[in-house]
């Protein structure tokens, strides 16, 4: 009896699909990797976004999140793991960095499908 229960468990684990798709996981990570979502500074599709306008010594200035949607993977990974002015350090795993990069590639290839989920 125990053998059959164990066999059934092993078979069900191998045949079961994940409860979340790769796209859904990547979207969740993009919107809240460690509390502050990438979309808040880089835009919904990684197009870049104005964060703030301010004045410094009577000079008008602005602070923006850069466009990240067209970065190659190596530059994207370096920006996430390096020190970039104004960018929070997330300490993401390699698989999380790959998922975020995948999300931007996926979103920018099929923007109409993703807009339905927002």
């Amino acid at each position: 009896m125990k053998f059959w229960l164990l066999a059934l468990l092993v078979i069900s684990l191998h045949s079961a699909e994940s409860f979340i798709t790769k796209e859904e996981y990547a979207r969740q990570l993009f919107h809240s990797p460690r509390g502050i979502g990438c979309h808040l500074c880089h835009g919904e599709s990684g197009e870049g976004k104005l964060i703030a306008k301010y004045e410094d010594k009577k000079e008008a200035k602005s602070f923006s999140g850069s466009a990240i949607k067209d970065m190659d993977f190596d530059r994207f990974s370096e920006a996430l793991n390096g020190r970039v002015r104004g960018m929070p350090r997330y300490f993401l795993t390699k698989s999380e960095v790959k998922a975020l990069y995948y999300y931007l590639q996926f979103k920018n290839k099929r923007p109409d499908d993703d807009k339905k989920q927002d």
Side-chain angles (χ1 to χ4, degrees):
M1 180 73 171
K2 288 181 183 178
F3 171 77
W4 291 111
L5 288 174
L6 181 60
L8 183 60
L9 178 64
V10 169
I11 290 169
S12 68
L13 288 175
H14 285 296
S15 64
E17 290 189 28
S18 176
F19 69 95
I20 186 170
T21 67
K22 183 177 180 178
E23 291 80 13
E24 290 169 329
Y25 170 71
R27 182 181 186 285
Q28 286 181 337
L29 192 60
F30 188 77
H31 284 86
S32 186
R34 299 286 189 268
I36 300 171
C38 308
H39 68 293
L40 295 174
C41 298
H42 298 286
E44 285 296 328
S45 297
E47 70 278 6
K49 186 175 177 181
L50 176 67
I51 299 169
K53 290 183 179 185
Y54 62 98
E55 192 174 303
D56 181 36
K57 298 178 185 172
K58 298 183 181 182
E59 182 182 338
K61 294 188 177 190
S62 65
F63 183 70
S64 299
S66 61
I68 58 173
K69 69 179 186 171
D70 295 323
M71 282 184 167
D72 65 60
F73 179 76
D74 290 334
R75 186 167 170 230
F76 182 80
S77 181
E78 285 174 20
L80 278 171
N81 292 316
R83 296 190 85 59
V84 178
R85 184 176 167 260
M87 174 85 173
R89 300 275 321 260
Y90 289 108
F91 302 101
L92 300 171
T93 66
K94 288 181 183 180
S95 63
E96 289 172 324
V97 172
K98 288 178 183 178
L100 286 170
Y101 188 77
Y102 168 79
Y103 176 76
L104 289 171
Q105 302 309 305
F106 177 81
K107 184 164 183 80
N108 287 300
K109 286 183 183 170
R110 298 175 27 177
D112 292 335
D113 291 345
D114 247 19
K115 287 179 185 172
K116 293 176 187 173
Q117 295 178 7
D118 292 339

